[in-house]
Amino acid sequence: MKSVANFYSIEENHDIYLCICKLVRHLFKKDKNIIIIDSKHKLEEFDRLLWSFEQNSFLPHKIYNNEDIIDTPIILLSIQNLDKLKIFNKYTSIINNYDNALLMLENNIEIYEFVDNNESDKSKSRRKFLEYKKNNFTLMHSKYNEQTV
């Protein structure tokens, strides 16, 4: 089975961090193992939000550090640790908030990319879209709302 890259365009009035947290909640409820990839300082923001974005909600997660035991369904992985991505072979849902496409992965992976409503982000997303296409990913694109995930 081929890997899938899902692109979600978000509106100006949406916060990309909250959209990602809502997607994580949705995937977690479907018993998916999830990785969020971003820079270290942005992962700290995700860490805080995953505890607080919704009242009465708990999403078990942790920021991965070298040699950590992988014991949670949601891992926050910094771009500095991308070389370790293959050790997370049971994690099949990856939210990529990093500037580059994730092409080093095996089949049967679902990648989620968010496209913010500014020209710089749209340009990066177009480049990633073409890279995924060249590497035979199945591509999906839609406007983000909680019903599209």
Side-chain angles (χ1 to χ4, degrees):
M1 186 171 163
K2 289 194 329 186
S3 291
V4 177
N6 299 285
F7 284 79
Y8 294 111
S9 295
I10 59 174
E11 302 294 324
E12 282 184 39
N13 61 339
H14 286 108
D15 179 295
I16 191 166
Y17 292 102
L18 288 176
C19 292
I20 291 173
C21 287
K22 289 175 183 179
L23 174 62
V24 169
R25 180 189 61 210
H26 172 79
L27 294 171
F28 177 72
K29 285 181 179 180
K30 293 173 82 175
D31 291 326
K32 301 287 185 177
N33 288 322
I34 306 146
I35 297 174
I36 300 173
I37 296 174
D38 210 331
S39 65
K40 186 172 175 57
H41 80 276
K42 288 182 182 176
L43 290 179
E44 291 167 0
E45 176 71 12
F46 281 118
D47 183 38
R48 186 185 62 74
L49 275 173
L50 287 170
W51 286 105
S52 63
F53 83 98
E54 186 177 75
Q55 216 171 21
N56 301 323
S57 151
F58 172 70
L59 295 171
H61 68 281
K62 72 177 175 184
I63 296 176
Y64 176 80
N65 292 305
N66 288 336
E67 310 306 321
D68 270 358
I69 295 172
I70 302 167
D71 59 355
T72 183
I74 303 166
I75 294 286
L76 309 179
L77 186 69
S78 75
I79 55 178
Q80 291 81 11
N81 285 320
L82 275 181
D83 61 325
K84 297 184 177 55
L85 195 55
K86 290 192 179 208
I87 66 171
F88 299 98
N89 57 358
K90 69 177 184 173
Y91 288 76
T92 57
S93 297
I94 300 175
I95 299 169
N96 184 24
N97 205 37
Y98 173 52
D99 291 344
N100 297 326
L102 299 173
L103 303 175
M104 73 292 263
L105 302 166
E106 305 296 323
N107 287 335
N108 302 321
I109 300 291
E110 284 228 46
I111 297 174
Y112 299 87
E113 301 271 358
F114 283 81
V115 184
D116 222 340
N117 196 9
N118 64 62
E119 209 43 54
S120 171
D121 202 50
K122 287 178 183 179
S123 178
K124 280 189 269 187
S125 294
R126 286 183 198 107
R127 182 180 35 79
K128 289 196 285 187
F129 189 92
L130 291 173
E131 289 179 46
Y132 288 125
K133 185 175 182 174
K134 280 189 238 176
N135 285 276
N136 298 316
F137 279 70
T138 299
L139 298 167
M140 309 292 283
H141 178 261
S142 62
K143 287 197 180 281
Y144 174 80
N145 65 54
E146 289 189 61
Q147 287 73 43
T148 60
V149 291

Short mmCIF file of all heavy atoms in Angstrom, two decimals, residues 37-84:
data_model
loop_
_atom_site.label_atom_id
_atom_site.label_comp_id
_atom_site.label_asym_id
_atom_site.label_seq_id
_atom_site.Cartn_x
_atom_site.Cartn_y
_atom_site.Cartn_z
N ILE A 37 6.11 16.41 13.87
CA ILE A 37 7.48 16.83 13.58
C ILE A 37 7.52 18.34 13.43
O ILE A 37 6.75 18.93 12.66
CB ILE A 37 7.99 16.15 12.29
CG1 ILE A 37 8.05 14.64 12.49
CG2 ILE A 37 9.35 16.73 11.88
CD1 ILE A 37 8.39 13.86 11.26
N ASP A 38 8.45 18.96 14.17
CA ASP A 38 8.63 20.40 14.09
C ASP A 38 9.94 20.77 14.78
O ASP A 38 10.64 19.88 15.28
CB ASP A 38 7.46 21.12 14.77
CG ASP A 38 7.17 22.48 14.15
OD1 ASP A 38 8.11 23.12 13.62
OD2 ASP A 38 6.01 22.91 14.20
N SER A 39 10.25 22.05 14.82
CA SER A 39 11.46 22.50 15.52
C SER A 39 11.26 22.34 17.03
O SER A 39 10.13 22.28 17.51
CB SER A 39 11.75 23.96 15.17
OG SER A 39 10.71 24.78 15.66
N LYS A 40 12.35 22.29 17.74
CA LYS A 40 12.29 22.05 19.19
C LYS A 40 11.43 23.09 19.92
O LYS A 40 10.59 22.72 20.74
CB LYS A 40 13.70 22.01 19.76
CG LYS A 40 13.76 21.63 21.22
CD LYS A 40 15.19 21.41 21.66
CE LYS A 40 15.33 21.15 23.12
NZ LYS A 40 14.64 20.07 23.70
N HIS A 41 11.60 24.37 19.61
CA HIS A 41 10.83 25.38 20.36
C HIS A 41 9.34 25.32 20.03
O HIS A 41 8.50 25.58 20.88
CB HIS A 41 11.42 26.79 20.18
CG HIS A 41 11.04 27.47 18.91
ND1 HIS A 41 11.69 27.27 17.72
CD2 HIS A 41 10.06 28.37 18.67
CE1 HIS A 41 11.14 28.00 16.79
NE2 HIS A 41 10.14 28.68 17.32
N LYS A 42 8.99 24.93 18.80
CA LYS A 42 7.57 24.79 18.47
C LYS A 42 6.97 23.55 19.13
O LYS A 42 5.80 23.53 19.48
CB LYS A 42 7.37 24.75 16.96
CG LYS A 42 7.61 26.10 16.30
CD LYS A 42 7.36 26.00 14.81
CE LYS A 42 7.64 27.31 14.12
NZ LYS A 42 7.49 27.19 12.66
N LEU A 43 7.78 22.51 19.30
CA LEU A 43 7.29 21.31 19.99
C LEU A 43 6.93 21.61 21.44
O LEU A 43 5.99 21.02 21.98
CB LEU A 43 8.31 20.18 19.92
CG LEU A 43 8.52 19.55 18.55
CD1 LEU A 43 9.57 18.46 18.64
CD2 LEU A 43 7.22 19.01 17.98
N GLU A 44 7.64 22.52 22.04
CA GLU A 44 7.30 22.92 23.41
C GLU A 44 5.92 23.57 23.45
O GLU A 44 5.16 23.36 24.39
CB GLU A 44 8.38 23.84 23.97
CG GLU A 44 9.67 23.09 24.21
CD GLU A 44 10.88 23.97 24.48
OE1 GLU A 44 10.74 25.22 24.49
OE2 GLU A 44 11.96 23.41 24.67
N GLU A 45 5.58 24.32 22.41
CA GLU A 45 4.24 24.91 22.31
C GLU A 45 3.19 23.81 22.14
O GLU A 45 2.14 23.83 22.77
CB GLU A 45 4.19 25.90 21.13
CG GLU A 45 2.83 26.50 20.87
CD GLU A 45 2.40 27.49 21.94
OE1 GLU A 45 3.22 27.90 22.78
OE2 GLU A 45 1.20 27.83 21.94
N PHE A 46 3.48 22.82 21.28
CA PHE A 46 2.55 21.69 21.12
C PHE A 46 2.39 20.93 22.43
O PHE A 46 1.29 20.53 22.78
CB PHE A 46 3.02 20.73 20.02
CG PHE A 46 2.72 21.18 18.64
CD1 PHE A 46 3.73 21.42 17.74
CD2 PHE A 46 1.40 21.37 18.22
CE1 PHE A 46 3.46 21.84 16.45
CE2 PHE A 46 1.11 21.80 16.94
CZ PHE A 46 2.15 22.03 16.06
N ASP A 47 3.48 20.72 23.12
CA ASP A 47 3.44 20.02 24.41
C ASP A 47 2.47 20.72 25.35
O ASP A 47 1.60 20.09 25.96
CB ASP A 47 4.85 19.97 25.00
CG ASP A 47 4.92 19.20 26.30
OD1 ASP A 47 4.24 18.17 26.44
OD2 ASP A 47 5.68 19.64 27.19
N ARG A 48 2.58 22.02 25.46
CA ARG A 48 1.70 22.81 26.33
C ARG A 48 0.25 22.73 25.84
O ARG A 48 -0.67 22.48 26.62
CB ARG A 48 2.18 24.27 26.35
CG ARG A 48 1.42 25.14 27.32
CD ARG A 48 1.84 26.60 27.22
NE ARG A 48 1.60 27.21 25.93
CZ ARG A 48 0.37 27.56 25.48
NH1 ARG A 48 -0.68 27.35 26.21
NH2 ARG A 48 0.24 28.12 24.30
N LEU A 49 0.05 22.88 24.55
CA LEU A 49 -1.32 22.88 24.01
C LEU A 49 -2.01 21.52 24.13
O LEU A 49 -3.22 21.46 24.34
CB LEU A 49 -1.32 23.32 22.54
CG LEU A 49 -1.36 24.80 22.30
CD1 LEU A 49 -1.17 25.11 20.83
CD2 LEU A 49 -2.65 25.41 22.81
N LEU A 50 -1.26 20.45 23.94
CA LEU A 50 -1.88 19.12 24.03
C LEU A 50 -2.42 18.84 25.43
O LEU A 50 -3.26 17.97 25.61
CB LEU A 50 -0.91 18.03 23.59
CG LEU A 50 -0.65 17.99 22.09
CD1 LEU A 50 0.51 17.04 21.77
CD2 LEU A 50 -1.89 17.59 21.31
N TRP A 51 -1.93 19.57 26.42
CA TRP A 51 -2.47 19.46 27.78
C TRP A 51 -3.66 20.37 28.00
O TRP A 51 -4.50 20.10 28.86
CB TRP A 51 -1.40 19.83 28.81
CG TRP A 51 -0.35 18.79 28.99
CD1 TRP A 51 0.92 18.84 28.51
CD2 TRP A 51 -0.47 17.55 29.68
NE1 TRP A 51 1.60 17.70 28.86
CE2 TRP A 51 0.76 16.89 29.58
CE3 TRP A 51 -1.52 16.94 30.37
CZ2 TRP A 51 0.99 15.66 30.16
CZ3 TRP A 51 -1.28 15.69 30.94
CH2 TRP A 51 -0.04 15.07 30.82
N SER A 52 -3.76 21.46 27.23
CA SER A 52 -4.70 22.50 27.61
C SER A 52 -5.66 22.98 26.53
O SER A 52 -6.53 23.80 26.81
CB SER A 52 -3.92 23.71 28.12
OG SER A 52 -3.12 24.25 27.08
N PHE A 53 -5.54 22.53 25.28
CA PHE A 53 -6.36 23.11 24.22
C PHE A 53 -7.85 22.82 24.39
O PHE A 53 -8.69 23.53 23.86
CB PHE A 53 -5.88 22.69 22.83
CG PHE A 53 -6.37 21.36 22.35
CD1 PHE A 53 -7.46 21.26 21.50
CD2 PHE A 53 -5.73 20.19 22.74
CE1 PHE A 53 -7.90 20.03 21.05
CE2 PHE A 53 -6.16 18.97 22.30
CZ PHE A 53 -7.25 18.89 21.45
N GLU A 54 -8.15 21.79 25.12
CA GLU A 54 -9.55 21.43 25.34
C GLU A 54 -9.73 21.00 26.79
O GLU A 54 -8.95 20.21 27.31
CB GLU A 54 -9.91 20.27 24.40
CG GLU A 54 -11.35 19.91 24.42
CD GLU A 54 -11.63 18.80 23.41
OE1 GLU A 54 -11.27 17.65 23.69
OE2 GLU A 54 -12.18 19.11 22.35
N GLN A 55 -10.73 21.54 27.41
CA GLN A 55 -10.99 21.18 28.80
C GLN A 55 -11.40 19.71 28.88
O GLN A 55 -12.04 19.17 27.99
CB GLN A 55 -12.11 22.07 29.34
CG GLN A 55 -11.94 22.43 30.77
CD GLN A 55 -12.97 23.48 31.19
OE1 GLN A 55 -14.01 23.63 30.57
NE2 GLN A 55 -12.66 24.17 32.26
N ASN A 56 -11.03 19.04 29.93
CA ASN A 56 -11.37 17.62 30.18
C ASN A 56 -10.83 16.69 29.10
O ASN A 56 -11.45 15.69 28.78
CB ASN A 56 -12.89 17.44 30.28
CG ASN A 56 -13.49 18.27 31.38
OD1 ASN A 56 -12.88 18.42 32.44
ND2 ASN A 56 -14.65 18.82 31.14
N SER A 57 -9.70 17.02 28.55
CA SER A 57 -9.13 16.19 27.51
C SER A 57 -7.69 15.86 27.88
O SER A 57 -6.96 16.70 28.39
CB SER A 57 -9.20 16.95 26.18
OG SER A 57 -8.17 16.59 25.34
N PHE A 58 -7.29 14.63 27.63
CA PHE A 58 -5.92 14.21 27.88
C PHE A 58 -5.42 13.45 26.67
O PHE A 58 -6.04 12.46 26.26
CB PHE A 58 -5.83 13.33 29.12
CG PHE A 58 -4.46 12.73 29.30
CD1 PHE A 58 -3.38 13.51 29.64
CD2 PHE A 58 -4.27 11.38 29.09
CE1 PHE A 58 -2.12 12.97 29.78
CE2 PHE A 58 -3.01 10.81 29.24
CZ PHE A 58 -1.94 11.62 29.59
N LEU A 59 -4.35 13.92 26.09
CA LEU A 59 -3.73 13.22 24.97
C LEU A 59 -2.32 12.81 25.41
O LEU A 59 -1.45 13.66 25.53
CB LEU A 59 -3.68 14.13 23.74
CG LEU A 59 -5.04 14.52 23.17
CD1 LEU A 59 -4.89 15.59 22.11
CD2 LEU A 59 -5.77 13.31 22.63
N PRO A 60 -2.10 11.52 25.68
CA PRO A 60 -0.81 11.06 26.21
C PRO A 60 0.30 11.26 25.18
O PRO A 60 0.26 10.71 24.09
CB PRO A 60 -1.05 9.58 26.50
CG PRO A 60 -2.21 9.20 25.65
CD PRO A 60 -3.04 10.43 25.46
N HIS A 61 1.28 12.06 25.55
CA HIS A 61 2.34 12.42 24.62
C HIS A 61 3.62 12.75 25.37
O HIS A 61 3.60 12.93 26.59
CB HIS A 61 1.91 13.64 23.79
CG HIS A 61 1.82 14.89 24.61
ND1 HIS A 61 0.74 15.17 25.41
CD2 HIS A 61 2.69 15.91 24.78
CE1 HIS A 61 0.94 16.33 26.02
NE2 HIS A 61 2.12 16.80 25.66
N LYS A 62 4.70 12.85 24.61
CA LYS A 62 5.95 13.36 25.17
C LYS A 62 6.85 13.80 24.03
O LYS A 62 6.72 13.35 22.89
CB LYS A 62 6.65 12.33 26.05
CG LYS A 62 7.29 11.16 25.33
CD LYS A 62 8.00 10.29 26.37
CE LYS A 62 8.57 9.04 25.78
NZ LYS A 62 9.15 8.19 26.80
N ILE A 63 7.75 14.72 24.39
CA ILE A 63 8.78 15.15 23.46
C ILE A 63 9.88 14.10 23.50
O ILE A 63 10.40 13.78 24.57
CB ILE A 63 9.33 16.55 23.82
CG1 ILE A 63 8.21 17.59 23.71
CG2 ILE A 63 10.51 16.91 22.92
CD1 ILE A 63 8.62 18.99 24.15
N TYR A 64 10.22 13.55 22.33
CA TYR A 64 11.25 12.51 22.28
C TYR A 64 12.64 13.12 22.47
O TYR A 64 12.99 14.11 21.85
CB TYR A 64 11.19 11.79 20.92
CG TYR A 64 12.30 10.78 20.76
CD1 TYR A 64 12.19 9.53 21.34
CD2 TYR A 64 13.44 11.08 20.04
CE1 TYR A 64 13.20 8.58 21.20
CE2 TYR A 64 14.47 10.16 19.90
CZ TYR A 64 14.34 8.91 20.49
OH TYR A 64 15.34 8.00 20.36
N ASN A 65 13.39 12.50 23.36
CA ASN A 65 14.80 12.81 23.55
C ASN A 65 15.59 11.56 23.25
O ASN A 65 15.08 10.44 23.41
CB ASN A 65 15.07 13.27 24.99
CG ASN A 65 14.43 14.61 25.28
OD1 ASN A 65 14.67 15.58 24.57
ND2 ASN A 65 13.59 14.66 26.29
N ASN A 66 16.82 11.71 22.85
CA ASN A 66 17.65 10.55 22.50
C ASN A 66 17.58 9.48 23.57
O ASN A 66 17.63 9.77 24.76
CB ASN A 66 19.11 10.98 22.32
CG ASN A 66 19.30 11.76 21.05
OD1 ASN A 66 18.53 11.64 20.10
ND2 ASN A 66 20.33 12.57 21.02
N GLU A 67 17.40 8.25 23.12
CA GLU A 67 17.39 7.08 23.98
C GLU A 67 16.15 6.95 24.86
O GLU A 67 16.11 6.13 25.76
CB GLU A 67 18.65 7.01 24.86
CG GLU A 67 19.95 7.18 24.11
CD GLU A 67 20.13 6.22 22.95
OE1 GLU A 67 19.74 5.04 23.06
OE2 GLU A 67 20.64 6.67 21.91
N ASP A 68 15.12 7.78 24.63
CA ASP A 68 13.87 7.63 25.38
C ASP A 68 13.22 6.29 25.07
O ASP A 68 13.32 5.78 23.95
CB ASP A 68 12.87 8.73 24.98
CG ASP A 68 12.99 9.98 25.83
OD1 ASP A 68 13.81 10.00 26.76
OD2 ASP A 68 12.25 10.94 25.55
N ILE A 69 12.52 5.78 26.03
CA ILE A 69 11.66 4.62 25.80
C ILE A 69 10.42 5.12 25.07
O ILE A 69 9.84 6.13 25.45
CB ILE A 69 11.27 3.95 27.13
CG1 ILE A 69 12.52 3.39 27.81
CG2 ILE A 69 10.23 2.86 26.91
CD1 ILE A 69 12.26 2.87 29.21
N ILE A 70 10.06 4.42 24.04
CA ILE A 70 8.91 4.84 23.24
C ILE A 70 7.67 4.17 23.83
O ILE A 70 7.35 3.03 23.52
CB ILE A 70 9.11 4.47 21.75
CG1 ILE A 70 10.40 5.13 21.26
CG2 ILE A 70 7.92 4.91 20.92
CD1 ILE A 70 10.87 4.62 19.94
N ASP A 71 6.99 4.91 24.70
CA ASP A 71 5.91 4.31 25.48
C ASP A 71 4.63 5.14 25.48
O ASP A 71 3.82 5.03 26.39
CB ASP A 71 6.39 4.09 26.92
CG ASP A 71 6.83 5.38 27.60
OD1 ASP A 71 6.86 6.43 26.92
OD2 ASP A 71 7.14 5.33 28.79
N THR A 72 4.44 5.94 24.48
CA THR A 72 3.25 6.76 24.39
C THR A 72 2.75 6.79 22.95
O THR A 72 3.55 6.70 22.03
CB THR A 72 3.53 8.19 24.93
OG1 THR A 72 2.34 8.94 24.90
CG2 THR A 72 4.60 8.89 24.12
N PRO A 73 1.44 6.91 22.75
CA PRO A 73 0.92 6.88 21.38
C PRO A 73 1.16 8.17 20.59
O PRO A 73 0.97 8.19 19.38
CB PRO A 73 -0.58 6.64 21.57
CG PRO A 73 -0.88 7.09 22.95
CD PRO A 73 0.37 6.90 23.75
N ILE A 74 1.62 9.23 21.27
CA ILE A 74 1.86 10.50 20.59
C ILE A 74 3.27 10.95 20.93
O ILE A 74 3.60 11.17 22.09
CB ILE A 74 0.83 11.58 21.00
CG1 ILE A 74 -0.59 11.09 20.72
CG2 ILE A 74 1.12 12.90 20.27
CD1 ILE A 74 -1.68 11.92 21.40
N ILE A 75 4.10 11.08 19.89
CA ILE A 75 5.48 11.51 20.06
C ILE A 75 5.67 12.85 19.35
O ILE A 75 5.23 13.03 18.22
CB ILE A 75 6.46 10.48 19.43
CG1 ILE A 75 6.42 9.15 20.19
CG2 ILE A 75 7.88 11.03 19.35
CD1 ILE A 75 7.11 9.16 21.52
N LEU A 76 6.33 13.76 20.04
CA LEU A 76 6.72 15.04 19.46
C LEU A 76 8.20 14.91 19.11
O LEU A 76 9.04 14.73 19.99
CB LEU A 76 6.48 16.18 20.44
CG LEU A 76 5.09 16.26 21.07
CD1 LEU A 76 4.99 17.42 22.04
CD2 LEU A 76 4.01 16.34 20.02
N LEU A 77 8.51 14.97 17.82
CA LEU A 77 9.86 14.70 17.34
C LEU A 77 10.45 15.95 16.71
O LEU A 77 9.87 16.49 15.77
CB LEU A 77 9.82 13.55 16.32
CG LEU A 77 11.15 13.04 15.80
CD1 LEU A 77 11.92 12.31 16.90
CD2 LEU A 77 10.93 12.11 14.61
N SER A 78 11.60 16.38 17.23
CA SER A 78 12.22 17.58 16.67
C SER A 78 12.92 17.24 15.36
O SER A 78 13.33 16.10 15.12
CB SER A 78 13.21 18.19 17.67
OG SER A 78 14.38 17.42 17.72
N ILE A 79 13.08 18.26 14.54
CA ILE A 79 13.73 18.06 13.25
C ILE A 79 15.19 17.62 13.43
O ILE A 79 15.74 16.96 12.55
CB ILE A 79 13.64 19.33 12.37
CG1 ILE A 79 14.19 20.55 13.09
CG2 ILE A 79 12.22 19.55 11.91
CD1 ILE A 79 14.19 21.83 12.28
N GLN A 80 15.77 17.90 14.60
CA GLN A 80 17.13 17.44 14.88
C GLN A 80 17.19 15.92 15.05
O GLN A 80 18.26 15.33 14.95
CB GLN A 80 17.68 18.11 16.15
CG GLN A 80 17.96 19.59 16.01
CD GLN A 80 16.71 20.46 16.15
OE1 GLN A 80 15.65 20.01 16.55
NE2 GLN A 80 16.85 21.73 15.80
N ASN A 81 16.06 15.29 15.30
CA ASN A 81 16.01 13.83 15.48
C ASN A 81 15.38 13.10 14.29
O ASN A 81 15.01 11.94 14.42
CB ASN A 81 15.24 13.48 16.76
CG ASN A 81 16.05 13.74 18.00
OD1 ASN A 81 17.25 13.47 18.03
ND2 ASN A 81 15.42 14.28 19.02
N LEU A 82 15.27 13.76 13.15
CA LEU A 82 14.66 13.10 11.99
C LEU A 82 15.39 11.83 11.57
O LEU A 82 14.77 10.92 11.04
CB LEU A 82 14.59 14.07 10.80
CG LEU A 82 13.40 14.98 10.75
CD1 LEU A 82 13.45 15.87 9.51
CD2 LEU A 82 12.09 14.23 10.82
N ASP A 83 16.68 11.76 11.83
CA ASP A 83 17.43 10.55 11.48
C ASP A 83 16.96 9.33 12.27
O ASP A 83 17.22 8.20 11.89
CB ASP A 83 18.93 10.77 11.70
CG ASP A 83 19.28 11.10 13.13
OD1 ASP A 83 18.48 11.78 13.82
OD2 ASP A 83 20.37 10.68 13.58
N LYS A 84 16.22 9.54 13.34
CA LYS A 84 15.71 8.44 14.16
C LYS A 84 14.28 8.05 13.78
O LYS A 84 13.67 7.20 14.42
CB LYS A 84 15.78 8.82 15.63
CG LYS A 84 17.21 9.04 16.08
CD LYS A 84 17.31 9.30 17.54
CE LYS A 84 18.72 9.44 17.99
NZ LYS A 84 19.51 10.42 17.32
#
